[in-house]
């Protein structure tokens, strides 16, 4: 078992998600430990399993950290389905006994759902926006109303390409971003993350040139913002918010378009994981910008009824 160490050296030529990097996990996994299981055959590493273990009132449980959409198993490239199933079975048995277990697996793990015996599985949805076309091609694929909103915004004298990689966000920008998130999502603690954690995460990502707070303004007032992180392959749209008083300007669309412009100019990513949404109105926006729906699995097991009742009570209290 590997505890709190970087996973980067484990598979050559594999780009692990930036949300699995140690600096990212160490900020978000407060009150518990993230750990790695290994699966080897003849000393050859064939599989890893990333999970987060916590304790509450003496009860051990495995759950998802805030802002980390995917955890669970990952396999050496080119393994057969039978080898993946064998590795999955072995590592799942090696997980510590827990009163509650929930993980969301990478989309490519979907092929293993036949071996999730005894677990509840729920298909969830994210949206992936392919950023490999040119900006002109991406613009042409947008909904017509979105293209008009972008044109009017630029004609008003505002810019969508005014942020660079070296430029760091200000405390005022972070505070405005958090206020917009709270306005749209409610208290951040309901989503498992504190304002302090989010601020640390933004600053840590920007200091490593692996993340950015993207800000849209209208006459100097912030009307929308997104926080993204990226690796060499993919970017992740972790959080986004907009000012409700400026809905006619399509601030959410302007923000995600500015995000795409930034990523195309300053990174090598091929696509943007928009982190999905169960809210139909948001899903419609992602479809109208040309993003493609992709399913992933939530795998859950809760043998301890007391723990389940405790979680229900906590969530109800936070939403008051």
């Amino acid at each position: 078992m590997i505890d709190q160490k970087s996973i980067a050296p484990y598979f050559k030529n594999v780009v692990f998600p930036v949300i699995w990097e140690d600096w990212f996990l160490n900020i978000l996994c407060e009150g518990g430990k993230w750990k790695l299981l290994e699966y080897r055959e003849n000393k050859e590493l064939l599989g890893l399993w990333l999970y987060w273990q916590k304790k509450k009132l003496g009860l051990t449980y495995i759950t998802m950290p805030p802002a980390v959409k995917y955890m669970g198993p990952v396999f050496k490239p080119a393994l057969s389905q039978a080898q993946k199933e064998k590795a999955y079975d072995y590592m799942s048995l090696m997980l510590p006994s827990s009163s509650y277990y929930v993980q969301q697996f990478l989309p490519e793990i979907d092929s293993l759902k036949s071996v999730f015996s005894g677990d509840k599985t729920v298909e969830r949805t994210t949206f992936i926006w392919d950023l490999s076309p040119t900006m002109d091609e991406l613009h042409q694929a947008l909904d017509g109303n979105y293209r008009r909103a972008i044109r009017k915004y630029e004609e008003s004298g505002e810019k969508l390409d005014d942020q660079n990689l070296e430029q760091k966000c200000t405390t005022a920008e972070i505070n405005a971003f958090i206020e917009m998130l709270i306005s749209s999502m409610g208290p951040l603690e309901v989503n498992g993350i504190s304002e302090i954690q989010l601020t640390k995460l933004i600053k840590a990502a920007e200091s490593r040139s692996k993340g950015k707070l993207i800000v849209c303004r209208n006459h100097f007032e912030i009307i929308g913002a997104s926080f993204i992180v990226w690796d060499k392959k993919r970017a992740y749209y972790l959080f986004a918010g907009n000012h409700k008083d400026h809905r006619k300007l399509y601030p959410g669309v302007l923000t995600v378009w500015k995000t795409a412009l930034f990523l195309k100019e300053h990174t090598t990513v091929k696509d943007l994981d928009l982190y999905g949404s169960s809210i139909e109105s948001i899903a419609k926006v992602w479809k109208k910008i040309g993003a493609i729906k992709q399913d992933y699995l939530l795998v859950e097991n809760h043998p301890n009824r007391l723990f389940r009742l405790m979680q229900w009570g906590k969530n109800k209290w936070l939403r008051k």
Side-chain angles (χ1 to χ4, degrees):
M1 183 179 295
I2 303 98
D3 185 9
Q4 308 267 11
K5 293 182 180 179
S6 173
I7 67 173
Y10 282 88
F11 292 138
K12 292 181 179 179
N13 303 319
V14 172
V15 178
F16 288 102
V18 64
I19 57 176
W20 288 14
E21 293 188 14
D22 50 355
W23 63 269
F24 192 93
L25 293 170
N26 288 342
I27 292 173
L28 295 172
C29 292
E30 288 185 358
K33 291 184 178 181
W34 63 270
K35 299 182 179 182
L36 278 172
L37 290 176
E38 290 184 349
Y39 173 70
R40 295 178 182 270
E41 285 187 3
N42 300 321
K43 298 184 178 181
E44 181 183 7
L45 181 66
L46 300 182
L48 294 169
W49 191 307
L50 177 66
Y51 67 96
W52 183 35
Q53 184 180 19
K54 297 187 71 179
K55 278 190 176 182
K56 181 183 295 184
L57 298 179
L59 300 175
T60 300
Y61 63 106
I62 293 172
T63 188
M64 297 295 297
V68 181
K69 181 179 283 291
Y70 313 114
M71 293 188 96
V74 63
F75 306 102
K76 183 178 180 179
L79 287 191
S80 67
Q81 180 71 7
Q83 287 175 307
K84 290 179 180 179
E85 291 180 1
K86 182 179 179 181
Y88 178 91
D89 286 340
Y90 176 87
M91 291 189 291
S92 64
L93 291 173
M94 292 299 293
L95 288 170
S97 177
S98 57
S99 301
Y100 175 73
Y101 165 88
V102 63
Q103 288 209 296
Q104 295 177 168
F105 292 166
L106 291 162
E108 51 265 35
I109 304 301
D110 182 68
S111 63
L112 292 176
K113 59 186 175 183
S114 61
V115 300
F116 303 151
S117 59
D119 294 329
K120 175 185 176 182
T121 60
V122 179
E123 279 199 348
R124 291 194 166 182
T125 298
T126 189
F127 285 86
I128 306 296
W129 193 11
D130 181 7
L131 299 180
S132 59
T134 66
M135 288 309 301
D136 286 342
E137 291 169 334
L138 289 171
H139 185 268
Q140 191 59 36
L142 296 176
D143 177 85
N145 289 329
Y146 295 175
R147 293 198 302 270
R148 283 189 289 273
I150 293 168
R151 187 187 71 244
K152 288 180 179 179
Y153 182 77
E154 293 177 324
E155 288 175 349
S156 71
E158 302 292 347
K159 294 183 178 180
L160 287 167
D161 59 354
D162 59 343
Q163 288 186 260
N164 57 57
L165 194 60
E166 293 74 27
Q167 177 185 358
K168 302 296 186 289
C169 64
T170 66
T171 299
E173 289 172 336
I174 293 176
N175 290 341
F177 177 52
I178 290 174
E179 286 180 12
M180 287 189 293
L181 290 180
I182 293 173
S183 176
S184 59
M185 298 166 50
L188 297 186
E189 287 76 10
V190 173
N191 296 280
I193 190 168
S194 69
E195 294 181 22
I196 293 174
Q197 281 179 302
L198 181 54
T199 300
K200 284 182 179 179
L201 197 63
I202 292 171
K203 291 181 176 180
E206 289 197 342
S207 69
R208 291 169 171 80
S209 295
K210 291 191 173 184
K212 192 72 178 173
L213 182 63
I214 303 293
V215 177
C216 278
R217 288 182 168 83
N218 182 46
H219 303 302
F220 303 106
E221 182 183 7
I222 296 175
I223 62 171
S226 66
F227 174 47
I228 53 171
V229 293
W230 61 82
D231 46 56
K232 294 179 180 178
K233 178 182 177 182
R234 175 167 290 176
Y236 298 85
Y237 204 70
L238 298 186
F239 297 99
N242 56 74
H243 203 300
K244 294 181 179 180
D245 293 342
H246 296 277
R247 286 178 176 172
K248 291 183 179 180
L249 296 176
Y250 290 83
V253 173
L254 296 174
T255 300
V256 76
W257 181 248
K258 185 170 185 176
T259 300
L261 283 169
F262 176 87
L263 290 169
K264 292 284 283 185
E265 178 68 22
H266 298 288
T267 76
T268 61
V269 303
K270 302 300 182 186
D271 52 45
L272 174 62
D273 187 330
L274 292 160
Y275 254 39
S277 178
S278 58
I279 303 172
E280 184 59 29
S281 60
I282 297 177
K284 286 180 179 178
V285 173
W286 299 154
K287 292 175 185 177
K288 288 182 178 181
I289 66 173
I292 303 299
K293 176 182 174 182
Q294 187 169 32
D295 293 331
Y296 64 95
L297 286 176
L298 179 147
V299 182
E300 183 179 26
N301 198 320
H302 38 73
N304 190 300
R305 292 184 179 181
L306 173 61
F307 186 89
R308 189 178 184 184
L309 181 62
M310 289 164 52
Q311 285 294 93
W312 175 83
K314 174 186 174 183
N315 291 335
K316 186 176 181 180
W317 179 80
L318 285 171
R319 287 184 168 85
K320 285 184 178 180

